[in-house]
Amino acid sequence: MTIRIRRMTLKDIDAIFAIERVSFSDPWSKRAFMSELVERGFNFSIVAEAPKGRKVIGYCLFWIIEDDETHITNIAINPEFRRQGIGKLLIDEVIQRSRDKGIPSVTLEVRESNTAAREFYDRLGFAEAGRRKGYYRKPVEDAIILRMMFEEDSSE
Ligand SMILES: CC(C)(COP(=O)(O)OP(=O)(O)OC[C@H]1O[C@@H](n2cnc3c(N)ncnc32)[C@H](O)[C@@H]1OP(=O)(O)O)[C@@H](O)C(=O)NCCC(=O)NCCS
Protein backbone atom coordinates (compact mmCIF):
# COMPACT_ATOMS: atom_id res chain seq x y z
CA MET A 1 0.00 0.00 0.00
CA THR A 2 1.53 3.32 -1.07
CA ILE A 3 0.67 5.98 1.47
CA ARG A 4 1.09 9.62 0.52
CA ILE A 5 2.12 12.14 3.17
CA ARG A 6 1.16 15.73 2.44
CA ARG A 7 0.47 19.01 4.17
CA MET A 8 -2.93 19.31 5.93
CA THR A 9 -5.47 21.79 4.56
CA LEU A 10 -8.74 23.20 5.93
CA LYS A 11 -10.63 20.75 3.63
CA ASP A 12 -9.21 17.87 5.70
CA ILE A 13 -10.70 19.06 9.00
CA ASP A 14 -13.91 16.95 8.88
CA ALA A 15 -12.01 13.73 8.09
CA ILE A 16 -9.44 14.49 10.77
CA PHE A 17 -12.06 15.34 13.37
CA ALA A 18 -13.82 11.99 12.70
CA ILE A 19 -10.56 10.16 13.51
CA GLU A 20 -9.85 12.44 16.50
CA ARG A 21 -13.25 11.72 18.08
CA VAL A 22 -12.79 7.96 18.04
CA SER A 23 -9.15 8.17 19.16
CA PHE A 24 -9.24 10.29 22.33
CA SER A 25 -11.43 10.64 25.45
CA ASP A 26 -10.82 14.42 25.40
CA PRO A 27 -10.60 15.23 21.67
CA TRP A 28 -9.45 18.52 20.19
CA SER A 29 -12.26 20.66 18.75
CA LYS A 30 -12.46 21.45 15.02
CA ARG A 31 -11.62 25.01 15.99
CA ALA A 32 -8.39 23.84 17.63
CA PHE A 33 -7.32 22.12 14.41
CA MET A 34 -8.28 25.19 12.38
CA SER A 35 -6.25 27.55 14.50
CA GLU A 36 -3.17 25.32 14.17
CA LEU A 37 -3.63 25.51 10.39
CA VAL A 38 -4.45 29.17 10.06
CA GLU A 39 -1.85 30.56 12.44
CA ARG A 40 1.15 29.92 10.28
CA GLY A 41 4.46 30.23 11.98
CA PHE A 42 5.88 27.42 14.06
CA ASN A 43 2.93 25.01 13.57
CA PHE A 44 3.10 22.25 10.98
CA SER A 45 0.44 19.70 10.09
CA ILE A 46 0.66 16.66 7.84
CA VAL A 47 -1.79 13.94 6.81
CA ALA A 48 -1.46 10.40 5.47
CA GLU A 49 -3.70 9.57 2.50
CA ALA A 50 -4.80 6.08 1.44
CA PRO A 51 -3.99 5.34 -2.21
CA LYS A 52 -7.61 4.51 -3.05
CA GLY A 53 -9.89 7.57 -3.04
CA ARG A 54 -7.20 9.70 -1.39
CA LYS A 55 -8.97 9.26 1.93
CA VAL A 56 -7.25 10.84 4.95
CA ILE A 57 -6.34 7.99 7.33
CA GLY A 58 -3.99 9.71 9.76
CA TYR A 59 -2.48 13.01 10.80
CA CYS A 60 0.23 14.58 12.87
CA LEU A 61 0.62 18.14 14.13
CA PHE A 62 3.86 19.52 15.49
CA TRP A 63 5.68 22.71 16.35
CA ILE A 64 9.14 23.65 15.30
CA ILE A 65 10.17 26.28 17.81
CA GLU A 66 13.02 28.67 16.98
CA ASP A 67 14.55 25.94 14.80
CA ASP A 68 15.92 24.24 17.90
CA GLU A 69 13.08 22.08 19.19
CA THR A 70 10.33 19.96 17.62
CA HIS A 71 7.28 19.18 19.73
CA ILE A 72 4.56 16.80 18.50
CA THR A 73 1.15 18.05 19.66
CA ASN A 74 -1.19 15.45 18.12
CA ILE A 75 -1.05 12.21 16.14
CA ALA A 76 -3.74 9.65 15.36
CA ILE A 77 -4.46 6.97 12.79
CA ASN A 78 -7.92 5.77 11.70
CA PRO A 79 -8.49 2.61 13.82
CA GLU A 80 -9.04 0.50 10.67
CA PHE A 81 -5.56 1.41 9.45
CA ARG A 82 -3.55 0.96 12.65
CA ARG A 83 -0.60 -1.46 12.91
CA GLN A 84 0.26 -0.93 9.24
CA GLY A 85 3.23 1.36 9.76
CA ILE A 86 1.36 4.62 9.03
CA GLY A 87 2.04 6.18 12.44
CA LYS A 88 5.71 5.41 11.96
CA LEU A 89 5.62 7.00 8.49
CA LEU A 90 4.25 10.23 9.97
CA ILE A 91 6.82 10.31 12.78
CA ASP A 92 9.60 9.56 10.27
CA GLU A 93 8.47 12.59 8.25
CA VAL A 94 8.57 14.80 11.37
CA ILE A 95 12.05 13.48 12.19
CA GLN A 96 13.27 14.08 8.64
CA ARG A 97 12.01 17.66 8.61
CA SER A 98 13.62 18.28 11.99
CA ARG A 99 16.96 16.79 10.99
CA ASP A 100 16.92 18.87 7.81
CA LYS A 101 16.80 21.96 10.04
CA GLY A 102 19.55 20.66 12.30
CA ILE A 103 17.18 20.17 15.24
CA PRO A 104 18.62 17.64 17.72
CA SER A 105 15.46 16.14 19.26
CA VAL A 106 11.70 15.62 19.16
CA THR A 107 9.52 15.71 22.29
CA LEU A 108 5.88 14.94 23.06
CA GLU A 109 3.50 14.13 25.91
CA VAL A 110 1.55 10.89 26.24
CA ARG A 111 -1.19 9.90 28.68
CA GLU A 112 0.27 7.59 31.30
CA SER A 113 -2.40 4.90 30.68
CA ASN A 114 -2.09 5.01 26.86
CA THR A 115 -0.17 1.76 26.64
CA ALA A 116 -0.62 1.38 22.86
CA ALA A 117 0.94 4.78 22.16
CA ARG A 118 3.66 4.21 24.76
CA GLU A 119 4.59 0.90 23.08
CA PHE A 120 4.60 2.69 19.73
CA TYR A 121 6.93 5.47 20.90
CA ASP A 122 9.14 3.00 22.72
CA ARG A 123 9.51 0.97 19.52
CA LEU A 124 10.42 4.13 17.60
CA GLY A 125 13.17 5.00 20.08
CA PHE A 126 11.60 7.64 22.35
CA ALA A 127 12.76 7.68 25.98
CA GLU A 128 11.08 9.05 29.12
CA ALA A 129 12.21 12.56 29.95
CA GLY A 130 9.78 13.62 32.69
CA ARG A 131 6.21 13.83 33.90
CA ARG A 132 3.53 16.56 33.98
CA LYS A 133 1.19 16.07 36.94
CA GLY A 134 -2.52 16.21 36.10
CA TYR A 135 -1.83 17.39 32.56
CA TYR A 136 -4.83 15.69 30.91
CA ARG A 137 -8.58 16.01 31.51
CA LYS A 138 -11.43 13.47 31.05
CA PRO A 139 -10.07 11.76 33.09
CA VAL A 140 -7.45 13.84 34.85
CA GLU A 141 -4.16 12.02 34.44
CA ASP A 142 -0.41 12.61 34.34
CA ALA A 143 1.46 13.03 31.08
CA ILE A 144 4.74 11.26 30.47
CA ILE A 145 7.18 13.45 28.53
CA LEU A 146 9.05 11.51 25.87
CA ARG A 147 12.07 12.58 23.86
CA MET A 148 13.98 11.19 20.91
CA MET A 149 17.53 12.46 20.42
CA PHE A 150 18.99 12.21 16.92
CA GLU A 151 22.63 12.30 17.92
CA GLU A 152 24.66 9.13 18.54
CA ASP A 153 24.62 9.83 22.26
CA SER A 154 20.99 8.98 23.14
CA SER A 155 21.79 7.51 26.55
CA GLU A 156 20.09 10.34 28.51
C1 LIG B 1 -0.36 5.37 18.55
C2 LIG B 1 -0.77 5.27 17.08
C3 LIG B 1 -0.63 6.66 16.43
C4 LIG B 1 0.16 4.28 16.37
O1 LIG B 1 -0.11 4.31 14.98
P1 LIG B 1 0.02 3.00 14.05
O2 LIG B 1 -0.06 3.44 12.64
O3 LIG B 1 -0.96 1.98 14.50
O4 LIG B 1 1.50 2.50 14.42
P2 LIG B 1 2.51 1.68 13.49
O5 LIG B 1 1.74 0.68 12.69
O6 LIG B 1 3.38 2.62 12.74
O7 LIG B 1 3.34 0.91 14.62
C5 LIG B 1 4.76 0.81 14.62
C6 LIG B 1 5.15 -0.10 15.76
O8 LIG B 1 4.76 0.47 17.03
C7 LIG B 1 4.31 -0.57 17.92
N1 LIG B 1 2.88 -0.45 18.18
C8 LIG B 1 1.98 0.32 17.52
N2 LIG B 1 0.74 0.18 18.05
C9 LIG B 1 0.87 -0.71 19.06
C10 LIG B 1 -0.06 -1.30 19.98
N3 LIG B 1 -1.38 -0.98 19.94
N4 LIG B 1 0.40 -2.18 20.89
C11 LIG B 1 1.72 -2.53 20.94
N5 LIG B 1 2.66 -2.01 20.07
C12 LIG B 1 2.22 -1.11 19.16
C13 LIG B 1 4.59 -1.88 17.19
O9 LIG B 1 5.90 -2.29 17.52
C14 LIG B 1 4.48 -1.46 15.74
O10 LIG B 1 5.18 -2.32 14.85
P3 LIG B 1 4.47 -3.73 14.43
O11 LIG B 1 3.05 -3.45 14.06
O12 LIG B 1 5.32 -4.16 13.28
O13 LIG B 1 4.58 -4.62 15.64
C15 LIG B 1 -2.22 4.73 16.95
O14 LIG B 1 -2.38 3.58 17.76
C16 LIG B 1 -3.31 5.71 17.32
O15 LIG B 1 -3.78 6.49 16.49
N6 LIG B 1 -3.74 5.70 18.61
C17 LIG B 1 -4.81 6.57 19.08
C18 LIG B 1 -4.34 8.00 19.21
C19 LIG B 1 -3.16 8.13 20.16
O16 LIG B 1 -3.13 7.52 21.23
N7 LIG B 1 -2.18 8.99 19.77
C20 LIG B 1 -1.00 9.23 20.55
C21 LIG B 1 -1.23 10.36 21.47
S1 LIG B 1 0.23 10.79 22.41
Side-chain angles (χ1 to χ4, degrees), residues 6 14 20 66 79 95 118:
R6 63 162 173 81
D14 286 346
E20 175 79 7
E66 302 284 333
I95 291 169
R118 290 182 69 179

Side-chain angles (χ1 to χ4, degrees), residues 23-24 75-77 81-88 109-110 114 116-117 119-121 123-124:
S23 297
F24 297 103
I75 179 169
I77 307 298
F81 290 87
R82 288 183 191 162
R83 297 304 291 265
Q84 296 177 41
I86 299 163
K88 181 178 183 315
E109 285 103 10
V110 61
N114 190 349
E119 292 269 3
F120 168 71
Y121 294 126
R123 173 72 180 269
L124 267 51

